[in-house]
Amino acid sequence: MSDFQYTPKAPARSQSAQIFGLSDSATLIARLRAELEAKNALLQEQAAALAHNRKIFEKSSVAARIGLWECGLPDETLKWTDIVYDMFDVPHGTALDRRQIVQCYSEASARELEIRRSRAIETRSGFSMDAEIITPKGTRRWLRLTATVECEHGTPVRIFGMKQDITDEKILLDRTRYLAEFDLMTGLANRSRFQSELSELCDTKTALGAMLLIDLDGFKKVNDTLGHARGDECLKEAATRLHTACRDAELVARVGGDEFAVLLGSHYDIASIERIAGNIVKALCVRVDHGDEVLVLGASVGVALFDGCTPSELFRKADVALYASKAAGRSTFRIFHTDPEIPLR
């Protein structure tokens, strides 16, 4: 038997089949090319959108004075965006030493920052606070800080956040608070601040010793004779003298046109209170020259000792004592007593 074996050949592809196969390849390549071009167009569109958003963010950051920062842990490697460099008056790109940067914070802000930062790292959380800084150029600014701790496998590796310059906001807030709590003419606390402080001290029960009401004697005549401008000058002078005479008081306030009030702490005994009341009477004796005539300003003082009563009751007692001092001839003081057997003195 012959070893020859017949192996049938595969049928040759027809010319039309070959053309069809080439057509399929061209179609696939065209489709892949179109998909690639579409993906490239999408990537370019996304890159353009990202660049636009970054541009908007940077402009918004400048407008809002917000900068980003991060600090590596535990090596304390500090990084800032340009806005933060500007806040601290440090040239862009300057190598940062956190220990030196912390020295820019006011003592109180630095202390609070370290407490909150340590707690956030310990608890793997974050914090926010307002802090005062003094830049190397001597500029004072207020910053609002936000911080978040980032962890890897439960270990803090980075703390980062934002810093915003809120100096203008702080100035406006302080100005608004000042207008709400202080008398613009004299610089003393106003009636609203006085009432608030009086309520707080009365609630404490042991913080308040006495309240003094002071009324300027002869002020109306000065005002009517010399005019309001000169009268305003007299009020300013009286306020300055009163504040000096009661330098250690809890509060000195202007509570009316020519009426003032003083709150003394509980550490003052009756002898000290009487001495202060007498000093006020002496300090507010002012001579005002008016041609050949001399107008004299004086002060009547009413004192009420705090004995656990309400603010309104304390005010009423001081007011009674004030009118008693006026009835006694003015330019003197009287102390209210609840015991009817003891006269006002």
Side-chain angles (χ1 to χ4, degrees):
M1 183 173 177
S2 174
D3 292 334
F4 176 79
Q5 294 182 355
Y6 172 75
T7 303
K9 295 182 179 180
R13 297 179 65 187
S14 66
Q15 185 178 6
S16 61
Q18 292 176 357
I19 293 174
F20 181 76
L22 292 174
S23 176
D24 279 350
S25 297
T27 300
L28 176 60
I29 292 172
R31 182 170 60 82
L32 292 175
R33 181 179 290 112
E35 290 178 358
L36 183 60
E37 290 176 352
K39 289 181 178 180
N40 285 336
L42 179 61
L43 289 174
Q44 292 178 1
E45 182 181 343
Q46 290 176 339
L50 180 61
H52 175 72
N53 290 338
R54 180 176 297 170
K55 185 177 180 180
I56 294 298
F57 174 77
E58 290 175 351
K59 288 186 175 182
S60 299
S61 295
V62 172
R65 290 174 290 187
I66 297 176
L68 306 180
W69 63 274
E70 68 172 73
C71 185
L73 299 173
D75 60 0
E76 303 284 18
T77 304
L78 192 60
K79 295 179 182 179
W80 287 348
T81 58
D82 289 347
I83 300 297
V84 182
Y85 276 101
D86 293 338
M87 292 177 190
F88 283 80
D89 288 334
V90 174
H92 296 178
T94 300
L96 301 171
D97 184 333
R98 186 176 180 274
R99 290 172 299 180
Q100 293 180 354
I101 297 303
V102 170
Q103 292 176 3
C104 293
Y105 288 81
S106 68
E107 183 178 348
S109 292
R111 183 169 55 251
E112 184 67 18
L113 173 62
E114 290 306 308
I115 292 173
R116 295 189 180 218
R117 186 177 188 269
S118 298
R119 184 186 301 125
I121 294 173
E122 180 182 354
T123 59
R124 278 65 167 166
S125 58
F127 69 91
S128 63
M129 63 172 288
D130 293 347
E132 183 184 23
I133 65 169
I134 304 172
T135 73
K137 293 183 178 180
T139 304
R140 289 183 176 270
R141 290 194 176 98
W142 277 90
L143 307 182
R144 179 158 294 150
L145 283 68
T146 60
T148 300
V149 175
E150 180 182 353
C151 297
E152 291 182 1
H153 308 296
T155 301
V157 296
R158 186 179 297 104
I159 183 168
F160 65 94
M162 296 187 298
K163 296 181 191 290
Q164 181 180 15
D165 186 344
I166 59 166
T167 305
D168 291 344
E169 177 186 334
K170 181 71 173 177
I171 291 174
L172 179 61
L173 180 63
D174 288 346
R175 179 62 176 169
T176 302
R177 182 180 294 116
Y178 183 87
L179 292 175
E181 297 182 352
F182 290 88
D183 176 58
L184 290 180
M185 181 185 299
T186 63
L188 299 178
N190 60 17
R191 189 181 186 93
S192 176
R193 168 80 186 283
F194 170 79
Q195 290 176 329
S196 176
E197 191 78 9
L198 176 60
S199 295
E200 290 183 11
L201 290 172
C202 285
D203 289 342
T204 307
K205 299 298 183 185
T206 59
L208 186 61
M211 183 175 81
L212 288 70
L213 281 184
I214 303 102
D215 191 78
L216 295 183
D217 300 322
F219 175 75
K220 186 176 185 304
K221 185 175 182 180
V222 171
N223 220 25
D224 293 343
T225 304
L226 304 182
H228 292 288
R230 192 66 182 276
D232 290 348
E233 292 178 7
C234 289
L235 284 175
K236 294 176 185 178
E237 177 65 21
T240 300
R241 294 188 179 201
L242 178 60
H243 189 268
T244 301
C246 306
R247 191 175 300 277
D248 296 326
E250 297 294 323
L251 189 71
V252 180
R254 181 188 178 200
V255 295
D258 60 348
E259 192 173 56
F260 300 85
V262 175
L263 297 178
L264 297 179
S266 57
H267 57 283
Y268 286 96
D269 57 22
I270 186 64
S272 299
I273 294 172
E274 290 181 345
R275 185 183 69 254
I276 290 175
N279 289 340
I280 291 173
V281 172
K282 294 176 182 177
L284 297 187
C285 182
V286 181
R287 294 170 59 87
V288 182
D289 294 328
H290 177 52
D292 296 333
E293 184 181 7
V294 176
L295 303 179
V296 180
L297 280 178
S300 296
V301 181
V303 181
L305 303 178
F306 180 65
D307 56 0
C309 58
T310 64
S312 59
E313 290 172 338
L314 191 65
F315 205 100
R316 181 188 64 79
K317 293 175 182 179
D319 200 42
V320 170
L322 174 62
Y323 277 94
S325 67
K326 287 183 174 295
R330 302 175 184 271
S331 294
T332 187
F333 70 89
R334 289 291 183 268
I335 299 177
F336 181 89
H337 289 284
T338 55
D339 189 344
E341 298 298 323
I342 303 177
L344 294 173
R345 69 169 190 265

